[in-house]
Amino acid sequence: PNVDLKYTYFPKKLKEEIIIKQPLQNLPSENFNIIFEKSGNADFFISPTTICDANNSCQNLQTQITNNQMNITVPISFFSNPNVAYPIIIDPTISLDNNSILWNG
């Protein structure tokens, strides 16, 4: 109930926004990961991923792409910072680099 997902489709991009509207309860003590699974043979890459608060205080997130996964590391320190204003938005935009790919969205 405190998290929304917003998707925007572009010709070669899928922009996802993970919107955290209120402080999360029971945060882990270490950084956590957001993992996307890939199926099929589409080539893709992830644009620089950011986490931003309502005051437009932003931080780039570490991303890693392996065979069929994209892994985004989210620092717990961003959420535990007392100066962070909600909502917080995590933006992992995925881009396809093959001209023959069509989105069905």
Side-chain angles (χ1 to χ4, degrees):
N2 291 331
V3 178
D4 289 336
L5 296 177
K6 178 181 175 184
Y7 293 96
T8 307
Y9 296 99
F10 297 101
K12 289 188 181 182
K13 292 184 180 185
L14 171 62
K15 180 180 179 72
E16 177 182 39
E17 293 175 299
I18 303 166
I19 303 165
I20 303 167
K21 300 183 285 186
Q22 297 177 12
L24 299 173
Q25 302 298 315
N26 303 318
L27 286 172
S29 58
E30 297 181 11
N31 296 341
F32 60 92
N33 295 316
I34 300 171
I35 298 173
F36 295 94
E37 294 282 332
K38 176 189 128 173
S39 63
N41 60 359
D43 290 327
F44 61 86
F45 64 94
I46 191 160
S47 299
T49 299
T50 58
I51 184 170
C52 297
D53 76 350
N55 292 329
N56 209 24
S57 175
C58 299
Q59 182 177 338
N60 287 330
L61 300 179
Q62 179 183 352
T63 60
Q64 180 181 15
I65 296 177
T66 58
N67 293 333
N68 290 321
Q69 279 189 345
M70 291 185 300
N71 186 352
I72 301 168
T73 302
V74 181
I76 200 66
S77 60
F78 195 91
F79 293 96
S80 59
N81 181 341
N83 297 321
V84 166
Y86 285 81
I88 292 173
I89 298 176
I90 301 171
D91 176 8
T93 297
I94 300 169
S95 298
L96 295 173
D97 57 2
N98 184 333
N99 290 333
S100 65
I101 300 296
L102 298 176
W103 289 96
N104 184 12

